[in-house]
Amino acid sequence: MKLTEIAVESLQQVIQELSQSEINLLMEKPKYAQHGDLSFPCFSLAKIKKQPPPKIAIEIASQLKDEFIEKAEAVGPYVNIFFKKDKVQQHVVKNIMDQTNNYGNLNIGKQETVVLDLSSPNIAKPFSMGHLRSTVIGNSIANILEKCGYNTVRINYLGDWGTQFGKLIAAYIKWGDDETIQRSPIPELLKLYVRFHEEAAIDPSLEDEGRLWFKKLEDGEERAVALWKWFREESLNEFNKIYQLLGVTFDSNQGEAFYNDKMEKVVSLLAEKGLLEESNGAKVIQMDDSTSLPPCLIKKSDGATLYATRDLAAALYRKEMYHFSKALYIVGQEQTIHFQQIKAVLKKAGFEWSEEMYHISFGLLLKDGKKMSTRKGKIVLLEQVIEEAIQLAKQNIENKNPNLQNKLEVARQVGVGSIIFHDLKNYRLHSVEFSLEDMLKFEGETGPYVQYTYARAKSILRKGEWSVQEMKEGLNDSYSWELTKLLNVYPQIIQKAINNFDPSTIAKHIIDVCQSFNSWYAQEKFLVVDEKRNARLSLVYSTSIVIKESLYLLGMDAPEEM
């Protein structure tokens, strides 16, 4: 039920001079509730009707009628429209209860396939907080796409190839100790990686050594390949622990190395199409002048491949494998030029489907206002953060509800949820300051606040021993009305989130819902036995449905008790 559409259609019955779309563009939402739910300014009609706007407003207000409109008032040049709270509420609650978890579903995807390239950490390095954004943003977008009727393929495009592995192998051979690394593989490999860059700053010849070892790896040299496989296996074991805690799953873990035997085919294809040029011994593709992009490097002068070569091979493989209608790359904004080049090369090569490839970029995760850097060792390990968040959540539960059942599971849900929500409540292009203390607050715009509101709603329903039943009449108070309007626009919020590939639209809306619900909670006695009891509990139930579904779309759990 779109209240704006009801108002526009009713106004158009009275205003013959304007189309519905023209009326819709003029509609306003009054700043104060006492001025109505919607407002129509009459200034644009003054020239047409050759009458002053206040007179036109009186004329329109006197004729405006609809089964859901309670009254229309002329206030100066405005027509203020008030809806029938109880009737609208009855309709909204019935709609939510009829659909339950399907409320807000949109069939705009028509079962088309969307592939999402997300998370994609580098092997042989710890899973840091810096990888969190791609993981949770991508997972949430996939959930929203599914709610909108798309099939999704989540791809963890592991960073398991490239010059950095030559550097790591060189560092391992120079300074690695087998016994130490066996005991604690990832932290020790990180130390070696950081040491390599520290030493290379003093002795630049180390960089050449790193490149040489990567060339050996590309050529299949036995020792290089054995070390690389070991690094990859240990890394995947570590990553899977994190993904399990986050509740994130993938349809594919094919990393960059998977495309090693597919890159020459891409290079040949580009050559056949006359796109490759020589440049100082390297192979490049010139970009069109209109793009202002630098040339795209396909092969280095030593014959080594690059990110671009692999990403082109991956795009072609995924199109052939999954027949996608859209391909989303959830990767930081520092890769913007790279993805513009990939898209431009595919378009020059005649692949029109490249128009449906989208770089879903996002800002940095900051620590003390600075970017986290693996190379300099300035990282915050995600697993440690999750464990700390769970422990703090457990302490909160012990303090507030020591008799709670499943305390450990609820602590996990709250701790992990706090981290996810702290990220997703921010518009993805904004950088986010990491703060565990802020994440875990039970008040304000936090995950625990939303989860606690859901648990509160479920507690009311349990105490009221309420079961789903028809809501025969609605409520008329202003607090429940504000909540009803927020629940009513939920399908439009989903639409907006998918249009912009932006989970923060849902996170912000559900904060508004929770704040409105808690304002109502402070004013209302839900369990009083009177003729409005079922109406109150029906609205509580409807609110719980919208909160739970929103949490699911964000990739979070909804604890029944906290």
Side-chain angles (χ1 to χ4, degrees), residues 417-432:
S418 69
I419 293 167
I420 294 172
F421 196 86
H422 181 74
D423 190 295
L424 297 184
K425 72 178 182 182
N426 296 282
Y427 177 49
R428 58 178 170 79
L429 287 175
H430 295 163
S431 290
V432 177

Side-chain angles (χ1 to χ4, degrees), residues 27 136 221 276 311 445 523:
M27 294 298 295
V136 298
E221 199 266 350
L276 284 183
D311 279 351
E445 298 181 356
Q523 301 294 321

Side-chain angles (χ1 to χ4, degrees), residues 145-415:
L145 282 163
E146 287 164 5
K147 190 165 182 70
C148 292
Y150 290 94
N151 293 318
T152 64
V153 179
R154 291 165 164 89
I155 298 172
N156 193 9
Y157 185 49
L158 293 168
D160 60 0
W161 206 250
T163 313
Q164 70 266 34
F165 297 103
K167 293 176 181 179
L168 186 60
I169 292 168
Y172 173 82
I173 288 167
K174 274 185 174 300
W175 309 298
D177 176 73
D178 279 8
E179 205 174 305
T180 311
I181 292 169
Q182 289 285 358
R183 272 198 310 271
S184 185
I186 302 303
E188 291 304 319
L189 290 173
L190 174 64
K191 284 180 190 173
L192 288 173
Y193 186 74
V194 171
R195 183 174 176 183
F196 181 91
H197 285 280
E198 288 171 348
E199 300 271 357
I202 301 162
D203 178 8
S205 68
L206 277 175
E207 295 283 354
D208 294 330
E209 211 169 314
R211 281 190 283 272
L212 179 64
W213 270 108
F214 178 56
K215 188 70 174 65
K216 287 181 181 180
L217 181 59
E218 281 202 306
D219 293 342
E221 199 266 350
E222 191 176 344
R223 189 180 185 192
V225 171
L227 285 170
W228 172 81
K229 282 183 176 176
W230 177 50
F231 297 160
R232 191 180 193 278
E233 186 181 343
E234 292 291 349
S235 299
L236 270 175
N237 290 338
E238 292 297 309
F239 295 161
N240 285 333
K241 292 179 196 172
I242 304 291
Y243 293 133
Q244 199 169 355
L245 282 169
L246 290 173
V248 175
T249 58
F250 296 95
D251 301 293
S252 165
N253 281 303
Q254 289 167 350
E256 294 174 25
F258 176 77
Y259 297 98
N260 279 349
D261 61 353
K262 299 169 181 59
M263 285 186 285
E264 280 307 318
K265 185 181 172 185
V266 172
V267 176
S268 300
L269 177 74
L270 296 172
E272 282 168 25
K273 291 181 179 282
L275 297 175
L276 284 183
E277 293 182 16
E278 268 300 314
S279 177
N280 298 322
K283 303 281 188 187
V284 304
I285 296 178
Q286 298 293 339
M287 298 289 102
D288 295 335
D289 293 339
S290 60
T291 65
S292 304
L293 290 169
C296 184
L297 188 56
I298 300 297
K299 229 176 183 183
K300 291 182 184 178
S301 55
D302 65 359
T305 52
L306 293 103
Y307 286 124
T309 329
R310 288 190 284 281
D311 279 351
L312 289 166
L316 291 163
Y317 174 83
R318 291 169 188 174
K319 183 63 180 177
E320 187 180 340
M321 180 74 178
Y322 302 114
H323 309 288
F324 62 75
S325 63
K326 288 181 175 64
L328 310 185
Y329 294 83
I330 299 90
V331 183
Q333 57 193 10
E334 63 270 22
Q335 295 293 324
T336 297
I337 290 174
H338 169 75
F339 283 109
Q340 286 174 345
Q341 288 179 314
I342 297 300
K343 195 167 176 172
V345 168
L346 288 168
K347 192 171 181 181
K348 279 173 81 82
F351 298 107
E352 293 302 321
W353 48 261
S354 62
E355 290 293 340
E356 295 302 322
M357 291 168 59
Y358 301 92
H359 175 208
I360 312 300
S361 63
F362 51 86
L364 300 171
L365 191 65
L366 306 174
K367 179 68 176 164
D368 302 321
K370 295 177 182 175
K371 180 184 176 181
M372 298 174 181
S373 168
T374 314
R375 183 175 293 187
K376 295 175 182 174
K378 292 179 181 176
I379 59 170
V380 178
L381 301 185
L382 182 56
E383 188 173 16
Q384 290 173 6
V385 171
I386 292 173
E387 285 170 3
E388 194 175 339
I390 292 170
Q391 283 306 311
L392 286 170
K394 189 181 170 191
Q395 284 171 26
N396 280 334
I397 291 166
E398 290 286 3
N399 295 337
K400 294 181 179 182
N401 191 1
N403 298 320
L404 177 68
Q405 292 186 334
N406 303 320
K407 276 189 279 193
L408 281 176
E409 177 57 17
V410 174
R412 184 198 67 77
Q413 292 174 335
V414 174

